[in-house]
């Protein structure tokens, strides 16, 4: 039995509230159970120096956790003067995941910056950030298309992410903190709406796994992402 009482292939309660903030071109509040992430997408008509004049755009991500998003207060990284290695790793993962489904030439010479701010953490904050980031980006690009700033949609397909792991010897989907902190193996999967894999990160956390377990985790991830894709489409009205 999982601590939450869920079946091995059951996601936590998933909600996506689009247009959660007033000023960003695209935004949403995404919740997987008690994990909640505010995601905003900002469109800028400027690019990093190394991309200027090449006729291509860029999509990048930033990530942070509010000081009291966990059981105890964490210091703001800005107060420490540098980001942790974990934060940098997650930011790169968010950016890679989104760029995998965007045609940069069709985006044109503009940058979309995705900000993912964890309001409350209960496991799976990076995967929730990626799944919410696609919604915010989709809403921002829709505004560009509606205004005529873009003539062709640069977003090729959906992208979503979910965690999977082996808990008490059983492969399970969408780990919460109680499971994540005690899992024998833990992984994150980033999948696209056309059935492709962007990234699969899985490692043993004290319990080795075989190839059959890996395949079972992959199947669970696909099932979970199919549900997330449906929620994303509903959130953006498609």
């Amino acid at each position: 039995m999982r601590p939450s009482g869920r079946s091995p292939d059951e996601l936590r309660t998933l909600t996506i509230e689009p247009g959660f903030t007033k000023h960003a071109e695209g935004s949403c509040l995404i919740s997987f159970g008690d994990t909640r992430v505010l995601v905003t997408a900002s469109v800028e008509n400027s690019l990093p120096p190394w991309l200027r004049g090449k006729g291509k755009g860029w999509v990048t991500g930033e990530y942070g956790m509010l000081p009291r998003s966990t059981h105890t207060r964490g210091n703001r990284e800005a107060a420490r003067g540098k980001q942790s290695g974990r934060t940098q790793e997650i930011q790169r993962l968010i950016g890679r995941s989104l760029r995998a489904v965007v045609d940069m030439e069709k985006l044109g010479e503009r940058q979309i910056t995705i900000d993912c701010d964890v309001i409350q953490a209960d496991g799976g904050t990076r995967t929730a950030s990626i799944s919410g980031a696609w919604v915010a980006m989709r809403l921002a690009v829709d505004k560009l298309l509606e205004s005529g700033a873009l003539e062709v949609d640069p977003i090729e397909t959906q992208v979503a992410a979910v965690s999977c792991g082996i808990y008490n010897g059983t492969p399970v989907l969408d780990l919460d903190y109680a499971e994540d902190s005690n899992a024998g193996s833990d992984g994150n999967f980033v999948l696209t709406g056309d059935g492709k894999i962007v990234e699969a990160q899985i490692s043993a956390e004290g319990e080795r796994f075989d190839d059959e377990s890996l395949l079972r985790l992959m199947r669970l991830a696909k099932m979970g992402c199919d549900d997330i894709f449906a929620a994303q489409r509903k959130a953006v009205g498609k």
Side-chain angles (χ1 to χ4, degrees), residues 110-128:
R110 56 176 57 85
Q111 176 169 287
I112 300 178
T113 301
I114 308 293
D115 288 291
C116 303
D117 292 291
V118 179
I119 296 174
Q120 185 168 277
D122 188 38
T125 61
R126 73 186 67 193
T127 53

Side-chain angles (χ1 to χ4, degrees), residues 58 80 87 106 116 139 202 204:
W58 190 245
R80 296 201 299 266
T87 294
K106 292 179 181 178
C116 303
L139 294 172
I202 182 165

Side-chain angles (χ1 to χ4, degrees), residues 152-218:
V152 181
D153 189 355
I155 300 178
E156 298 173 330
T157 186
Q158 291 171 258
V159 66
V162 72
S163 64
C164 296
I166 299 175
Y167 177 76
N168 284 344
T170 301
V172 295
L173 174 67
D174 189 22
L175 284 71
D176 56 25
Y177 179 77
E179 294 171 324
D180 187 34
S181 58
N182 293 286
S185 302
D186 178 30
N188 300 299
F189 296 82
V190 184
L191 309 180
T192 61
D194 57 359
K196 302 294 177 60
I197 301 170
V198 174
E199 194 140 352
Q201 303 173 331
I202 182 165
S203 58
E205 301 286 349
E207 181 181 338
R208 301 188 302 274
F209 55 92
D210 56 20
D211 53 355
E212 177 57 30
S213 295
L214 177 60
L215 291 173
R216 290 176 69 184
L217 292 175
M218 188 69 237

Side-chain angles (χ1 to χ4, degrees), residues 40-186:
T40 59
S42 302
V43 179
E44 301 169 285
N45 292 318
S46 60
L47 286 169
W50 52 274
L51 265 179
R52 292 172 190 164
K54 296 184 178 180
K56 297 181 179 181
W58 190 245
V59 179
T60 188
E62 295 195 9
Y63 169 95
M65 297 181 67
L66 295 185
R68 208 50 217 272
S69 59
T70 57
H71 295 93
T72 58
R73 186 183 186 278
N75 292 328
R76 296 181 189 273
E77 291 185 328
R80 296 201 299 266
K82 65 177 182 179
Q83 291 178 320
S84 68
R86 175 182 180 274
T87 294
Q88 295 179 52
E89 173 202 353
I90 293 174
Q91 290 184 162
R92 289 193 290 267
L93 176 61
I94 294 168
R96 285 197 304 271
S97 300
L98 296 174
R99 290 192 295 272
V101 298
V102 176
D103 186 320
M104 296 302 165
E105 291 187 355
K106 292 179 181 178
L107 181 59
E109 293 198 1
R110 56 176 57 85
Q111 176 169 287
I112 300 178
T113 301
I114 308 293
D115 288 291
C116 303
D117 292 291
V118 179
I119 296 174
Q120 185 168 277
D122 188 38
T125 61
R126 73 186 67 193
T127 53
S129 294
I130 292 167
S131 299
W134 184 87
V135 172
M137 181 175 69
R138 175 73 271 173
L139 294 172
V141 168
D142 283 346
K143 286 186 178 180
L144 292 174
L145 291 166
E146 291 167 6
S147 69
L150 282 176
E151 295 183 0
V152 181
D153 189 355
I155 300 178
E156 298 173 330
T157 186
Q158 291 171 258
V159 66
V162 72
S163 64
C164 296
I166 299 175
Y167 177 76
N168 284 344
T170 301
V172 295
L173 174 67
D174 189 22
L175 284 71
D176 56 25
Y177 179 77
E179 294 171 324
D180 187 34
S181 58
N182 293 286
S185 302
D186 178 30

